[in-house]
Amino acid sequence: MKMLEALEDRVNQLVNLSIELGKQKKNLEKVTGELKAEIESLKSENVQLAEDNAFFSSKLKALEAALESDSKELSSLTEEKSLAKLVVDDLIKSIDALMESEDLR
């Protein structure tokens, strides 16, 4: 009789354990479903961020090229400005020399 009671207790423990494992399985399936949904959301977000990154990389390259072009143009204009100053200085000196020679006559 004692062995039958022990066996019955063991069966009850296994039934309770089975019920508890069933609950845990349902919870794990719920969490797994939530994680799968989050993974899909993150994949979608990752795709969007990759597209944004490509767009902004392209935009950055275009801006860098424009900056380089503008820098070259600024350098060229600075050289022209220096040359124009030299020409104007020479012109002023020539005019002064001409006026002095006129004054000496």
Side-chain angles (χ1 to χ4, degrees):
M1 191 75 154
K2 249 185 177 183
M3 193 174 289
L4 193 56
E5 287 177 3
L7 188 57
E8 189 178 320
D9 284 343
R10 187 69 179 144
V11 169
N12 283 335
Q13 288 175 350
L14 289 173
V15 168
N16 288 335
L17 180 61
S18 177
I19 291 169
E20 183 61 32
L21 289 175
K23 289 178 184 177
Q24 288 179 0
K25 180 183 174 193
K26 284 184 181 181
N27 285 338
L28 288 174
E29 287 172 346
K30 178 183 174 188
V31 170
T32 301
E34 291 171 354
L35 289 173
K36 284 181 179 179
E38 187 168 346
I39 287 170
E40 289 304 313
S41 173
L42 290 172
K43 283 180 180 179
S44 175
E45 183 179 350
N46 189 39
V47 167
Q48 182 61 46
L49 290 173
E51 289 173 358
D52 290 349
N53 187 36
F55 171 77
F56 287 121
S57 291
S58 172
K59 190 101 167 158
L60 178 61
K61 285 179 183 177
L63 289 171
E64 287 173 341
L67 178 62
E68 185 177 342
S69 173
D70 289 349
S71 178
K72 287 178 182 177
E73 187 176 339
L74 179 62
S75 177
S76 175
L77 290 173
T78 301
E79 288 178 24
E80 285 183 32
K81 177 182 171 185
S82 296
L83 183 61
K85 279 184 176 182
L86 289 174
V87 169
V88 168
D89 284 345
D90 285 346
L91 186 59
I92 290 172
K93 286 177 186 174
S94 294
I95 291 172
D96 285 344
L98 192 70
M99 289 182 72
E100 282 181 17
S101 70
E102 286 291 319
D103 287 343
L104 292 176
R105 284 190 200 180

XYZ file of all heavy atoms in Angstrom:
817
model
N 0.805 -1.195 0.000
C 0.000 0.000 0.000
C 0.857 1.272 0.000
O 0.517 2.223 -0.698
C -0.889 -0.076 1.247
C -1.939 0.917 1.283
S -3.212 0.427 0.147
C -4.537 1.182 0.808
N 1.945 1.250 0.793
C 2.817 2.401 0.856
C 3.449 2.671 -0.507
O 3.609 3.808 -0.910
C 3.921 2.145 1.880
C 3.803 2.981 3.080
C 5.000 2.729 3.967
C 4.873 3.645 5.126
N 5.946 3.579 6.029
N 3.802 1.627 -1.189
C 4.409 1.791 -2.489
C 3.412 2.386 -3.472
O 3.784 3.220 -4.312
C 4.913 0.453 -3.010
C 5.808 0.691 -4.173
S 6.632 -0.702 -4.814
C 7.830 -1.176 -3.689
N 2.148 2.023 -3.358
C 1.119 2.564 -4.227
C 0.920 4.044 -3.957
O 0.775 4.842 -4.892
C -0.185 1.781 -4.007
C -1.283 1.997 -5.037
C -0.804 1.707 -6.451
C -2.483 1.143 -4.707
N 0.952 4.435 -2.693
C 0.812 5.860 -2.327
C 2.013 6.646 -2.840
O 1.876 7.777 -3.342
C 0.675 6.009 -0.812
C -0.666 5.567 -0.269
C -0.726 5.664 1.254
O 0.252 6.117 1.877
O -1.764 5.274 1.799
N 3.188 6.068 -2.690
C 4.392 6.735 -3.164
C 4.337 6.898 -4.681
O 4.698 7.947 -5.234
C 5.631 5.945 -2.756
N 3.883 5.855 -5.352
C 3.739 5.918 -6.796
C 2.703 6.957 -7.197
O 2.897 7.725 -8.147
C 3.351 4.534 -7.338
C 3.353 4.375 -8.850
C 4.705 4.723 -9.450
C 2.948 2.966 -9.226
N 1.591 7.017 -6.445
C 0.539 8.016 -6.707
C 1.077 9.421 -6.480
O 0.816 10.335 -7.268
C -0.666 7.744 -5.805
C -1.879 8.574 -6.160
C -3.083 8.233 -5.275
O -3.300 7.045 -4.985
O -3.770 9.187 -4.893
N 1.860 9.636 -5.432
C 2.475 10.947 -5.175
C 3.429 11.327 -6.308
O 3.451 12.480 -6.767
C 3.246 10.926 -3.852
C 2.344 10.981 -2.637
O 1.161 11.360 -2.791
O 2.835 10.660 -1.524
N 4.194 10.331 -6.743
C 5.139 10.601 -7.829
C 4.395 10.958 -9.114
O 4.792 11.882 -9.825
C 6.002 9.349 -8.050
C 7.102 9.563 -9.015
C 8.151 10.498 -8.454
N 9.224 10.667 -9.420
C 9.872 11.785 -9.618
N 9.608 12.831 -8.880
N 10.804 11.871 -10.506
N 3.288 10.276 -9.399
C 2.473 10.582 -10.575
C 1.903 11.992 -10.440
O 1.900 12.769 -11.401
C 1.358 9.532 -10.779
C 0.351 10.006 -11.828
C 1.947 8.198 -11.192
N 1.406 12.347 -9.253
C 0.871 13.701 -9.019
C 1.967 14.753 -9.216
O 1.724 15.817 -9.801
C 0.265 13.815 -7.619
C -1.097 13.178 -7.522
O -1.803 13.057 -8.532
N -1.485 12.755 -6.321
N 3.172 14.487 -8.739
C 4.286 15.418 -8.927
C 4.594 15.588 -10.418
O 4.826 16.697 -10.896
C 5.534 14.910 -8.195
C 5.464 15.026 -6.701
C 6.680 14.381 -6.031
O 7.482 13.698 -6.663
N 6.809 14.609 -4.730
N 4.593 14.479 -11.134
C 4.856 14.540 -12.575
C 3.757 15.294 -13.311
O 4.032 16.062 -14.244
C 5.016 13.128 -13.147
C 6.302 12.395 -12.750
C 6.255 10.947 -13.246
C 7.518 13.100 -13.306
N 2.498 15.096 -12.891
C 1.383 15.824 -13.498
C 1.544 17.315 -13.221
O 1.399 18.155 -14.133
C 0.025 15.295 -12.990
C -1.105 16.238 -13.395
C -0.244 13.896 -13.523
N 1.846 17.668 -11.976
C 2.040 19.083 -11.618
C 3.229 19.680 -12.379
O 3.174 20.813 -12.860
C 2.237 19.236 -10.107
C 0.954 19.005 -9.337
O -0.146 19.174 -9.874
N 1.072 18.602 -8.075
N 4.294 18.885 -12.474
C 5.459 19.345 -13.225
C 5.103 19.533 -14.694
O 5.498 20.520 -15.321
C 6.608 18.339 -13.086
C 7.901 18.693 -13.817
C 8.476 20.011 -13.295
C 8.916 17.580 -13.657
N 4.332 18.629 -15.246
C 3.894 18.726 -16.634
C 3.051 19.973 -16.848
O 3.212 20.685 -17.846
C 3.111 17.477 -17.020
O 2.625 17.589 -18.331
N 2.145 20.239 -15.903
C 1.308 21.459 -15.994
C 2.181 22.701 -15.923
O 2.020 23.644 -16.716
C 0.242 21.454 -14.876
C -0.793 20.349 -15.142
C -0.441 22.814 -14.770
C -1.734 20.099 -13.970
N 3.144 22.724 -14.993
C 4.041 23.867 -14.833
C 4.888 24.057 -16.094
O 5.070 25.174 -16.575
C 4.938 23.676 -13.612
C 5.848 24.839 -13.319
C 5.109 26.143 -13.031
O 3.995 26.125 -12.472
O 5.657 27.211 -13.393
N 5.396 22.970 -16.644
C 6.180 23.061 -17.876
C 5.326 23.558 -19.037
O 5.812 24.293 -19.900
C 6.807 21.702 -18.205
C 7.957 21.261 -17.280
C 8.397 19.841 -17.633
C 9.126 22.214 -17.367
N 4.058 23.150 -19.076
C 3.141 23.639 -20.106
C 2.957 25.146 -19.999
O 2.963 25.855 -21.009
N 2.823 25.645 -18.756
C 2.690 27.100 -18.555
C 3.961 27.824 -18.988
O 3.910 28.877 -19.644
C 2.399 27.402 -17.085
C 1.015 26.991 -16.628
C 0.842 27.275 -15.140
C -0.504 26.793 -14.614
N -0.645 26.992 -13.163
N 5.104 27.251 -18.592
C 6.382 27.860 -18.973
C 6.549 27.865 -20.490
O 7.047 28.830 -21.065
C 7.546 27.117 -18.314
C 7.649 27.361 -16.821
C 8.792 26.587 -16.189
O 9.528 25.861 -16.853
N 8.945 26.747 -14.879
N 6.119 26.770 -21.129
C 6.204 26.689 -22.588
C 5.373 27.784 -23.231
O 5.817 28.447 -24.173
C 5.740 25.316 -23.069
C 5.813 25.160 -24.572
C 5.274 23.818 -25.031
C 5.239 23.770 -26.548
N 4.482 22.665 -27.059
N 4.141 28.002 -22.711
C 3.279 29.050 -23.269
C 3.931 30.416 -23.092
O 3.907 31.255 -24.013
C 1.901 29.024 -22.610
C 1.023 27.904 -23.097
C -0.352 27.975 -22.488
C -1.209 26.810 -22.980
N -2.554 26.844 -22.438
N 4.509 30.654 -21.908
C 5.189 31.932 -21.675
C 6.378 32.098 -22.618
O 6.591 33.180 -23.178
C 5.659 32.040 -20.220
C 4.530 32.327 -19.266
O 3.486 32.839 -19.653
N 4.719 32.003 -17.999
N 7.139 31.014 -22.785
C 8.289 31.085 -23.693
C 7.849 31.299 -25.140
O 8.492 32.043 -25.889
C 9.135 29.817 -23.575
C 9.941 29.681 -22.272
C 10.612 28.324 -22.221
C 10.969 30.797 -22.154
N 6.765 30.678 -25.544
C 6.248 30.881 -26.893
C 5.800 32.326 -27.078
O 6.027 32.923 -28.141
C 5.097 29.916 -27.176
C 5.541 28.483 -27.385
C 4.382 27.498 -27.477
O 3.236 27.861 -27.121
O 4.620 26.355 -27.917
N 5.198 32.899 -26.042
C 4.762 34.302 -26.105
C 5.986 35.219 -26.244
O 6.012 36.114 -27.096
C 3.970 34.663 -24.854
C 3.529 36.093 -24.803
C 2.806 36.408 -23.506
C 2.499 37.897 -23.416
N 1.983 38.262 -22.108
N 6.995 34.959 -25.399
C 8.209 35.775 -25.446
C 8.904 35.595 -26.796
O 9.376 36.573 -27.404
C 9.163 35.395 -24.285
C 10.528 36.042 -24.454
C 8.559 35.820 -22.955
N 8.944 34.368 -27.296
C 9.552 34.094 -28.598
C 8.825 34.863 -29.703
O 9.459 35.457 -30.579
C 9.525 32.585 -28.898
O 10.239 31.894 -27.877
C 10.158 32.282 -30.238
N 7.507 34.862 -29.644
C 6.730 35.611 -30.633
C 7.026 37.103 -30.568
O 7.189 37.759 -31.604
N 7.115 37.626 -29.346
C 7.428 39.054 -29.182
C 8.820 39.361 -29.716
O 9.030 40.381 -30.380
C 7.322 39.442 -27.708
C 5.908 39.436 -27.172
C 5.833 39.604 -25.649
O 6.902 39.604 -24.990
O 4.707 39.735 -25.135
N 9.774 38.471 -29.417
C 11.135 38.681 -29.901
C 11.210 38.605 -31.418
O 11.921 39.389 -32.056
C 12.092 37.669 -29.268
C 12.384 37.878 -27.776
C 13.209 36.713 -27.236
C 13.084 39.193 -27.529
N 10.467 37.675 -32.016
C 10.443 37.579 -33.483
C 9.871 38.854 -34.093
O 10.388 39.357 -35.096
C 9.630 36.364 -33.928
C 10.346 35.051 -33.749
C 9.509 33.876 -34.233
C 10.238 32.558 -34.063
N 9.436 31.413 -34.504
N 8.814 39.381 -33.468
C 8.218 40.627 -33.975
C 9.217 41.770 -33.849
O 9.351 42.601 -34.763
C 6.944 40.940 -33.202
N 9.943 41.810 -32.734
C 10.932 42.875 -32.551
C 12.073 42.718 -33.547
O 12.574 43.709 -34.085
C 11.480 42.856 -31.121
C 12.383 44.036 -30.839
C 12.706 44.221 -29.368
O 12.041 43.619 -28.507
O 13.631 44.986 -29.090
N 12.469 41.484 -33.811
C 13.529 41.237 -34.797
C 13.095 41.749 -36.166
O 13.869 42.421 -36.868
C 13.897 39.741 -34.851
C 14.685 39.344 -33.616
C 14.680 39.411 -36.118
C 14.891 37.844 -33.455
N 11.868 41.466 -36.560
C 11.363 41.945 -37.851
C 11.342 43.467 -37.896
O 11.706 44.081 -38.909
C 9.972 41.369 -38.136
C 9.978 39.891 -38.451
C 10.885 39.532 -39.610
O 10.839 40.209 -40.661
O 11.660 38.565 -39.468
N 10.917 44.060 -36.784
C 10.892 45.526 -36.701
C 12.304 46.090 -36.831
O 12.535 47.068 -37.555
C 10.262 45.957 -35.384
O 10.369 47.344 -35.210
N 13.260 45.461 -36.134
C 14.642 45.931 -36.196
C 15.243 45.724 -37.584
O 16.016 46.555 -38.058
C 15.487 45.226 -35.128
C 15.183 45.622 -33.679
C 15.943 44.730 -32.713
C 15.486 47.081 -33.427
N 14.886 44.621 -38.245
C 15.363 44.404 -39.612
C 14.854 45.507 -40.539
O 15.598 46.043 -41.359
C 14.911 43.045 -40.133
C 15.703 41.879 -39.592
C 15.191 40.562 -40.173
C 15.957 39.362 -39.660
N 15.444 38.097 -40.207
N 13.579 45.836 -40.382
C 12.984 46.894 -41.201
C 13.671 48.235 -40.916
O 13.989 48.986 -41.841
C 11.490 46.992 -40.898
O 10.909 48.065 -41.567
N 13.895 48.501 -39.647
C 14.566 49.744 -39.264
C 15.992 49.762 -39.813
O 16.468 50.793 -40.280
C 14.590 49.871 -37.739
C 15.189 51.161 -37.242
C 15.184 51.284 -35.729
O 14.545 50.453 -35.047
O 15.815 52.220 -35.229
N 16.654 48.611 -39.767
C 18.015 48.509 -40.278
C 18.062 48.801 -41.776
O 18.963 49.494 -42.257
C 18.590 47.124 -39.977
C 20.062 47.034 -40.278
O 20.809 47.956 -40.031
N 20.472 45.909 -40.837
N 17.088 48.289 -42.512
C 17.023 48.544 -43.955
C 16.852 50.054 -44.201
O 17.542 50.639 -45.045
C 15.868 47.750 -44.606
C 15.582 48.235 -46.009
C 16.190 46.259 -44.601
N 15.955 50.667 -43.437
C 15.721 52.110 -43.599
C 16.982 52.904 -43.259
O 17.348 53.845 -43.965
C 14.552 52.563 -42.715
C 14.210 54.034 -42.856
C 13.786 54.422 -44.262
O 12.991 53.745 -44.869
N 14.323 55.508 -44.776
N 17.655 52.509 -42.179
C 18.879 53.211 -41.788
C 19.983 53.021 -42.827
O 20.742 53.955 -43.103
C 19.352 52.727 -40.413
C 18.477 53.146 -39.225
C 18.952 52.468 -37.952
C 18.450 54.653 -39.054
N 20.058 51.841 -43.429
C 21.050 51.606 -44.488
C 20.761 52.505 -45.691
O 21.688 53.079 -46.286
C 21.056 50.138 -44.890
N 19.478 52.639 -46.051
C 19.108 53.525 -47.163
C 19.445 54.971 -46.821
O 19.984 55.707 -47.670
C 17.620 53.389 -47.468
C 17.247 52.066 -48.101
C 15.742 51.876 -48.237
O 14.969 52.760 -47.804
O 15.333 50.822 -48.767
N 19.125 55.381 -45.595
C 19.455 56.748 -45.160
C 20.962 56.973 -45.192
O 21.438 58.031 -45.621
C 18.928 57.012 -43.748
C 17.415 57.112 -43.688
O 16.773 57.184 -44.754
O 16.861 57.113 -42.559
N 21.708 55.976 -44.734
C 23.160 56.081 -44.715
C 23.704 56.252 -46.126
O 24.574 57.090 -46.371
C 23.766 54.845 -44.037
C 25.251 54.973 -43.830
O 25.759 56.042 -43.550
N 25.958 53.874 -43.990
N 23.202 55.471 -47.052
C 23.652 55.582 -48.447
C 23.320 56.970 -49.002
O 24.151 57.590 -49.676
C 23.001 54.499 -49.295
N 22.110 57.460 -48.709
C 21.701 58.781 -49.181
C 22.620 59.863 -48.622
O 23.122 60.715 -49.357
C 20.251 59.055 -48.778
C 19.809 60.469 -49.021
C 19.500 60.906 -50.300
C 19.715 61.378 -47.975
C 19.105 62.209 -50.539
C 19.316 62.692 -48.198
C 19.010 63.105 -49.483
N 22.849 59.803 -47.299
C 23.668 60.843 -46.677
C 25.141 60.732 -47.070
O 25.833 61.752 -47.182
C 23.502 60.842 -45.158
C 22.172 61.384 -44.711
C 21.306 60.605 -43.968
C 21.772 62.661 -45.043
C 20.068 61.096 -43.566
C 20.539 63.164 -44.663
C 19.694 62.378 -43.924
N 25.621 59.526 -47.323
C 26.996 59.363 -47.807
C 27.144 60.011 -49.177
O 28.129 60.704 -49.448
C 27.359 57.886 -47.883
O 27.465 57.331 -46.600
N 26.159 59.783 -50.030
C 26.170 60.390 -51.361
C 26.127 61.910 -51.251
O 26.856 62.621 -51.948
C 24.982 59.876 -52.163
O 24.867 60.569 -53.375
N 25.253 62.385 -50.382
C 25.111 63.838 -50.177
C 26.427 64.431 -49.654
O 26.856 65.502 -50.097
C 23.973 64.078 -49.179
C 23.542 65.482 -49.032
C 22.290 65.703 -49.808
C 21.692 67.029 -49.410
N 20.815 67.519 -50.432
N 27.066 63.729 -48.715
C 28.333 64.190 -48.150
C 29.414 64.257 -49.223
O 30.161 65.239 -49.299
C 28.774 63.265 -47.013
C 30.104 63.601 -46.348
C 30.066 64.980 -45.706
C 30.465 62.544 -45.323
N 29.491 63.235 -50.078
C 30.486 63.240 -51.153
C 30.254 64.418 -52.097
O 31.202 65.061 -52.541
C 30.455 61.924 -51.915
C 31.082 60.788 -51.156
C 31.022 59.491 -51.928
C 31.592 58.351 -51.095
N 31.486 57.064 -51.769
N 28.988 64.688 -52.393
C 28.666 65.815 -53.278
C 29.077 67.136 -52.632
O 29.640 68.015 -53.295
C 27.175 65.816 -53.606
N 28.806 67.269 -51.341
C 29.181 68.496 -50.634
C 30.698 68.650 -50.553
O 31.229 69.759 -50.693
C 28.575 68.508 -49.230
C 27.064 68.716 -49.162
C 26.555 68.499 -47.748
C 26.686 70.099 -49.661
N 31.403 67.532 -50.331
C 32.864 67.589 -50.294
C 33.419 68.017 -51.642
O 34.347 68.825 -51.715
C 33.439 66.229 -49.885
C 33.253 65.908 -48.420
C 33.672 64.492 -48.062
O 33.772 63.628 -48.980
O 33.894 64.240 -46.868
N 32.851 67.486 -52.714
C 33.291 67.862 -54.063
C 33.019 69.344 -54.318
O 33.863 70.048 -54.881
C 32.593 66.999 -55.103
N 31.847 69.815 -53.897
C 31.505 71.231 -54.081
C 32.445 72.119 -53.268
O 32.897 73.167 -53.744
C 30.057 71.475 -53.677
N 32.760 71.666 -52.049
C 33.673 72.431 -51.199
C 35.057 72.507 -51.828
O 35.688 73.568 -51.831
C 33.751 71.797 -49.807
C 34.702 72.453 -48.814
C 34.273 73.889 -48.540
C 34.758 71.658 -47.524
N 35.523 71.394 -52.370
C 36.830 71.379 -53.023
C 36.841 72.313 -54.226
O 37.782 73.079 -54.430
C 37.182 69.959 -53.449
C 38.576 69.840 -54.030
C 38.934 68.409 -54.389
O 38.286 67.480 -53.907
O 39.883 68.246 -55.187
N 35.770 72.276 -55.003
C 35.665 73.151 -56.170
C 35.653 74.622 -55.743
O 36.348 75.454 -56.332
C 34.398 72.813 -56.947
O 34.198 73.738 -57.983
N 34.858 74.923 -54.713
C 34.783 76.300 -54.218
C 36.126 76.752 -53.658
O 36.517 77.910 -53.820
C 33.699 76.431 -53.148
C 32.291 76.335 -53.708
O 32.140 76.371 -54.953
O 31.332 76.219 -52.912
N 36.826 75.836 -53.009
C 38.141 76.162 -52.457
C 39.124 76.508 -53.568
O 39.894 77.464 -53.463
C 38.655 74.978 -51.632
O 39.941 75.240 -51.134
N 39.089 75.720 -54.652
C 39.962 76.007 -55.792
C 39.607 77.351 -56.420
O 40.480 78.127 -56.793
C 39.850 74.891 -56.832
C 40.522 73.615 -56.420
C 40.348 72.522 -57.463
C 40.990 71.215 -57.005
N 40.757 70.132 -57.966
N 38.309 77.619 -56.526
C 37.866 78.893 -57.108
C 38.301 80.063 -56.226
O 38.751 81.093 -56.724
C 36.343 78.894 -57.275
C 35.833 80.107 -58.013
C 34.334 80.052 -58.268
O 33.750 78.958 -58.235
O 33.769 81.131 -58.514
N 38.185 79.879 -54.904
C 38.603 80.931 -53.977
C 40.097 81.178 -54.095
O 40.546 82.331 -54.114
C 38.237 80.545 -52.531
C 38.642 81.540 -51.443
C 37.941 82.884 -51.664
C 38.319 80.988 -50.078
N 40.862 80.109 -54.227
C 42.303 80.246 -54.383
C 42.630 81.000 -55.669
O 43.485 81.891 -55.692
C 42.945 78.854 -54.402
O 44.327 78.953 -54.609
N 41.912 80.664 -56.731
C 42.118 81.336 -58.009
C 41.768 82.823 -57.908
O 42.508 83.679 -58.411
C 41.257 80.669 -59.080
O 41.342 81.366 -60.295
N 40.655 83.105 -57.247
C 40.247 84.507 -57.087
C 41.243 85.282 -56.222
O 41.521 86.462 -56.479
C 38.844 84.589 -56.488
C 37.699 84.152 -57.398
C 36.385 84.118 -56.626
C 37.586 85.090 -58.598
N 41.803 84.613 -55.222
C 42.806 85.263 -54.367
C 44.050 85.601 -55.178
O 44.625 86.686 -55.025
C 43.168 84.338 -53.173
O 41.989 84.053 -52.428
C 44.185 84.978 -52.263
N 44.445 84.680 -56.054
C 45.592 84.942 -56.930
C 45.295 86.110 -57.870
O 46.150 86.989 -58.082
C 45.942 83.700 -57.737
C 46.587 82.598 -56.929
C 46.864 81.357 -57.761
O 47.000 81.454 -58.999
O 46.931 80.275 -57.156
N 44.093 86.125 -58.433
C 43.703 87.222 -59.329
C 43.710 88.549 -58.589
O 44.136 89.575 -59.136
C 42.319 86.961 -59.918
C 42.298 85.909 -60.999
C 40.911 85.728 -61.605
O 40.146 86.714 -61.683
O 40.602 84.582 -62.005
N 43.248 88.528 -57.361
C 43.209 89.746 -56.547
C 44.626 90.258 -56.309
O 44.898 91.467 -56.454
C 42.521 89.455 -55.213
C 42.481 90.616 -54.252
C 41.817 90.198 -52.948
C 41.949 91.265 -51.893
N 41.428 90.829 -50.590
N 45.533 89.350 -55.972
C 46.929 89.747 -55.745
C 47.537 90.319 -57.015
O 48.239 91.342 -56.984
C 47.754 88.552 -55.271
O 47.300 88.105 -54.019
N 47.274 89.656 -58.135
C 47.792 90.127 -59.414
C 47.214 91.506 -59.758
O 47.933 92.403 -60.212
C 47.465 89.126 -60.527
C 48.002 89.450 -61.912
C 49.524 89.524 -61.894
C 47.535 88.412 -62.908
N 45.911 91.678 -59.511
C 45.275 92.974 -59.789
C 45.886 94.062 -58.915
O 46.115 95.185 -59.392
C 43.775 92.881 -59.542
N 46.188 93.751 -57.671
C 46.830 94.746 -56.791
C 48.201 95.131 -57.329
O 48.566 96.326 -57.331
C 46.987 94.182 -55.371
C 45.748 94.252 -54.537
C 46.046 93.764 -53.108
C 44.845 93.907 -52.220
N 45.119 93.491 -50.838
N 48.965 94.129 -57.782
C 50.287 94.433 -58.343
C 50.174 95.328 -59.576
O 50.943 96.284 -59.747
C 51.023 93.132 -58.697
C 51.509 92.288 -57.529
C 52.075 90.966 -58.035
C 52.550 93.046 -56.722
N 49.214 95.000 -60.436
C 49.024 95.792 -61.657
C 48.609 97.216 -61.304
O 49.123 98.197 -61.869
C 47.982 95.127 -62.582
C 47.578 96.047 -63.720
C 48.526 93.811 -63.124
N 47.688 97.340 -60.339
C 47.247 98.684 -59.932
C 48.406 99.448 -59.303
O 48.598 100.646 -59.569
C 46.045 98.591 -58.963
C 45.751 99.931 -58.303
C 44.811 98.082 -59.697
N 49.214 98.777 -58.450
C 50.381 99.442 -57.849
C 51.349 99.918 -58.929
O 51.848 101.050 -58.875
C 51.109 98.494 -56.886
C 50.386 98.322 -55.566
O 49.483 99.138 -55.253
O 50.717 97.350 -54.828
N 51.603 99.046 -59.922
C 52.488 99.438 -61.026
C 51.901 100.610 -61.810
O 52.622 101.526 -62.213
C 52.733 98.254 -61.967
C 53.692 97.230 -61.382
O 54.360 97.553 -60.377
O 53.746 96.100 -61.934
N 50.586 100.562 -62.015
C 49.915 101.638 -62.747
C 50.035 102.952 -61.981
O 50.330 104.001 -62.569
C 48.449 101.275 -62.983
C 47.632 102.212 -63.853
C 48.248 102.336 -65.251
C 46.205 101.734 -63.957
N 49.833 102.888 -60.663
C 49.942 104.095 -59.837
C 51.373 104.639 -59.884
O 51.598 105.850 -60.022
C 49.497 103.816 -58.383
C 47.983 103.595 -58.347
C 49.902 104.941 -57.441
C 47.454 103.133 -57.007
N 52.350 103.738 -59.810
C 53.756 104.168 -59.885
C 54.051 104.801 -61.237
O 54.761 105.814 -61.329
C 54.690 102.982 -59.647
C 54.741 102.551 -58.201
C 55.635 101.326 -58.040
C 55.561 100.806 -56.612
N 56.297 99.544 -56.445
N 53.507 104.210 -62.284
C 53.725 104.760 -63.626
C 53.092 106.135 -63.740
O 53.685 107.062 -64.320
C 53.123 103.832 -64.683
O 53.795 102.616 -64.721
N 51.880 106.276 -63.189
C 51.203 107.587 -63.233
C 51.991 108.608 -62.432
O 52.191 109.752 -62.867
C 49.749 107.458 -62.729
C 48.925 106.652 -63.727
C 49.132 108.833 -62.484
C 47.535 106.306 -63.237
N 52.464 108.195 -61.225
C 53.265 109.116 -60.403
C 54.543 109.532 -61.126
O 54.921 110.709 -61.125
C 53.631 108.445 -59.063
C 52.452 108.387 -58.109
O 51.455 109.114 -58.335
O 52.522 107.604 -57.129
N 55.177 108.543 -61.765
C 56.418 108.854 -62.489
C 56.119 109.780 -63.657
O 56.886 110.716 -63.933
C 57.066 107.558 -62.978
N 55.026 109.569 -64.331
C 54.639 110.413 -65.451
C 54.339 111.825 -64.970
O 54.749 112.812 -65.603
C 53.422 109.808 -66.155
C 53.071 110.398 -67.495
C 54.115 110.014 -68.530
C 51.706 109.932 -67.930
N 53.650 111.920 -63.840
C 53.311 113.248 -63.303
C 54.563 113.971 -62.836
O 54.696 115.184 -63.025
C 52.303 113.123 -62.158
C 50.929 112.709 -62.665
S 49.709 112.604 -61.364
C 49.451 114.303 -60.982
N 55.508 113.237 -62.275
C 56.762 113.868 -61.854
C 57.542 114.364 -63.067
O 58.145 115.440 -63.035
C 57.614 112.868 -61.060
C 57.145 112.687 -59.651
C 58.025 111.689 -58.869
O 59.156 111.392 -59.297
O 57.540 111.196 -57.835
N 57.526 113.561 -64.124
C 58.261 113.974 -65.314
C 57.583 115.176 -65.961
O 58.233 116.040 -66.541
C 58.405 112.826 -66.306
O 57.174 112.519 -66.888
N 56.272 115.255 -65.843
C 55.520 116.400 -66.376
C 55.816 117.630 -65.539
O 55.907 118.732 -66.071
C 54.019 116.131 -66.373
C 53.558 115.178 -67.434
C 53.682 115.789 -68.825
O 53.375 116.986 -69.000
O 54.084 115.048 -69.727
N 55.929 117.437 -64.199
C 56.216 118.554 -63.315
C 57.634 119.090 -63.552
O 57.891 120.281 -63.378
C 56.096 118.129 -61.835
C 54.645 117.947 -61.428
O 53.754 118.439 -62.154
O 54.404 117.294 -60.376
N 58.542 118.234 -63.945
C 59.917 118.650 -64.169
C 60.069 119.439 -65.457
O 60.978 120.214 -65.650
C 60.855 117.422 -64.234
C 61.039 116.667 -62.929
C 61.903 115.436 -63.163
C 61.667 117.566 -61.868
N 59.157 119.370 -66.354
C 59.243 120.084 -67.621
C 58.904 121.493 -67.440
O 58.530 122.349 -67.086
C 58.304 119.508 -68.639
C 58.807 118.240 -69.191
C 57.960 117.869 -70.328
N 58.075 116.480 -70.619
C 57.454 115.884 -71.552
N 56.622 116.518 -72.325
N 57.632 114.639 -71.790
